[in-house]
Amino acid sequence: MPEDELEDLPGVGPATADKLVENGFESYQSIAVASPGEMSNTADIGESSASDIINAARDAADVGGFETGATVLERREEIGKLSWQIDEVDDLLGGGIETQSITEVYGEFGSGKSQVTHQMAVNVQLPPEHGGLDGGCIFVDSEDTFRPERIDDMIRGLDDEILADEMERREIEGTPSNEESMAELIEAFLDQIHVAKAFNSNHQILLAEKAKELASEHEESEWPIRIVCVDSLTAHFRAEYVGRGELADRQQKLNKHLHDLMRIGDLFNTAILVTNQVASNPDSYFGDPTQAIGGNILGHASTFRMYLRKSKGDKRIVRLVDAPNLADGEAVMRVQGEGLKPE
């Protein structure tokens, strides 16, 4: 949205419009869903003025009111489904990872969480007829897990038909059997994955704000951002806030971070995929003692919760633990050199 349109809001002059845009409030909708305190702190505007601006933006953007279930159903038709390229897992998820939702994948070390984020960074770039969303990826790396070499492996692991279609779509001469053509295709895929390494929890929160700016910049481009991967969501929070005395502060910051991510999903029709660490519950005498960390804050914020569990060899059990409209269930996949594959 051009800055001069923001000036149509009461109390917003050129200087205030500049402040709003600089701090990520670039549209009526992004202003409408902000809180007066948040806007006051980030854009250096008085809280009373911020409240007036937000109320005017809500009227202009027509948000905050009630609507019929039929209207909600119509809007949900805009939601995209990102395929895992594994039928059993896609069926478990009702078609794949949803945009405008947070999907949490948790499991112990080596269960394949980072493999999922890498695979989705590839799959999201495919067209809808091949299970993708025709978009780019933002990858927030908090555990030094991102490896472009792994992306290379996973692209080469795609079906030859998909690779040939991608070469034609991206105007790359040659065939998948030609190494120069494949190298060019892999570079084209990597160009649409925007990676940032988070050094601590505060930096990770800042990167979520930067991700919103990047998604806004690419919104009208050929490759809009269609997935944000955070691997892992909780590592820095877990390391920096130790003990019960700091639990409340940790959960408060984590809650804000999750809401920042969810706002990206809502504003830009983007899927949010986060990985989470686990802990062993010493009170559990029966069944699997593994439980996701992050507490109720993360449990409530995640629309879909998925638990990855090691099995024999390269097999992994994918369990849907929680979803608003789907039954719990399990599927099996393999983590191989070529990426995630069906059993």
Side-chain angles (χ1 to χ4, degrees):
M1 169 178 290
E3 291 176 31
D4 59 350
E5 289 190 33
L6 295 185
E7 294 177 36
D8 292 340
L9 297 173
V12 178
T16 303
D18 287 342
K19 285 182 184 178
L20 291 170
V21 171
E22 285 172 11
N23 288 279
F25 300 106
E26 300 173 340
S27 66
Y28 287 163
Q29 188 171 359
S30 62
I31 293 172
V33 296
S35 68
E38 177 189 5
M39 182 178 288
S40 177
N41 291 332
T42 57
D44 192 25
I45 298 170
E47 197 158 329
S48 176
S49 298
S51 181
D52 292 340
I53 293 169
I54 289 168
N55 287 333
R58 286 174 179 170
D59 291 338
D62 192 24
V63 298
F66 290 94
E67 55 191 4
T68 66
T71 304
V72 174
L73 179 62
E74 185 178 338
R75 192 176 67 250
R76 280 191 58 80
E77 291 176 359
E78 300 172 6
I79 288 175
K81 297 272 191 174
L82 174 57
S83 171
W84 288 52
Q85 302 292 332
I86 302 168
D87 290 344
E88 196 177 349
V89 179
D90 286 341
D91 290 344
L92 193 66
L93 283 170
I97 294 175
E98 277 194 5
T99 59
Q100 300 182 36
S101 296
I102 294 179
T103 299
E104 174 198 355
V105 176
Y106 68 91
E108 64 183 15
F109 173 80
S111 59
K113 303 184 298 295
S114 295
Q115 304 299 317
V116 173
T117 56
H118 281 68
Q119 188 72 64
M120 295 310 141
V122 172
N123 293 359
V124 73
Q125 299 187 43
L126 303 177
E129 56 266 29
H130 289 312
L133 295 174
D134 256 340
C137 168
I138 291 175
F139 198 111
V140 178
D141 181 4
S142 72
E143 293 189 277
D144 193 27
T145 53
F146 181 78
R147 295 291 183 273
E149 300 87 351
R150 194 70 186 110
I151 298 293
D152 184 316
D153 294 339
M154 289 175 168
I155 294 168
R156 294 176 186 274
L158 295 171
D159 291 344
D160 283 345
E161 179 187 349
I162 293 177
L163 290 173
D165 286 350
E166 284 301 296
M167 286 183 172
E168 181 179 353
R169 194 163 71 109
R170 298 177 194 236
E171 299 180 349
I172 296 172
E173 295 182 1
T175 64
S177 60
N178 182 285
E179 186 54 38
E180 287 187 11
S181 300
M182 274 302 297
E184 189 177 345
L185 179 64
I186 290 162
E187 185 176 353
F189 267 87
L190 286 169
D191 279 344
Q192 303 309 326
I193 304 173
H194 310 271
V195 186
K197 186 173 179 179
F199 295 104
N200 54 49
S201 62
N202 285 327
H203 188 216
Q204 186 173 321
I205 290 169
L206 175 64
L207 288 175
E209 296 171 4
K210 295 294 183 183
K212 179 170 170 282
E213 294 175 12
L214 190 60
S216 178
E217 290 170 9
H218 284 76
E219 187 176 13
E220 301 299 330
S221 72
E222 184 181 358
W223 294 97
I225 301 300
R226 285 290 174 257
I227 191 168
V228 176
C229 299
V230 184
D231 187 22
S232 84
L233 177 77
T234 49
H236 286 315
F237 292 92
R238 190 181 195 182
E240 294 167 25
Y241 295 87
V242 181
R244 290 187 178 274
E246 298 198 34
L247 182 60
D249 288 341
R250 184 190 82 174
Q251 293 303 87
Q252 188 175 10
K253 286 186 72 173
L254 183 59
N255 190 34
K256 180 188 182 304
H257 185 42
L258 286 163
H259 278 80
D260 288 344
L261 292 170
M262 193 63 254
R263 188 172 298 175
I264 298 171
D266 289 338
L267 291 176
F268 305 107
N269 194 23
T270 299
I272 309 297
L273 174 63
V274 302
T275 67
N276 187 16
Q277 297 182 344
V278 296
S280 183
N281 181 6
D283 298 329
S284 177
Y285 294 102
F286 303 100
D288 191 342
T290 305
Q291 62 180 10
I293 68 169
N296 291 330
I297 291 289
L298 182 50
H300 290 307
S302 300
T303 313
F304 301 91
R305 302 194 87 182
M306 307 185 72
Y307 173 33
L308 295 188
R309 191 171 75 248
K310 295 178 183 177
S311 186
K312 293 181 180 178
D314 61 4
K315 283 186 180 181
R316 299 293 184 271
I317 308 299
V318 183
R319 182 182 172 201
L320 181 63
V321 176
D322 185 42
N325 60 329
L326 300 169
D328 295 355
E330 291 186 349
V332 181
M333 69 176 185
R334 293 182 181 271
V335 179
Q336 299 182 330
E338 300 82 17
L340 306 183
K341 297 297 177 183
E343 185 183 8

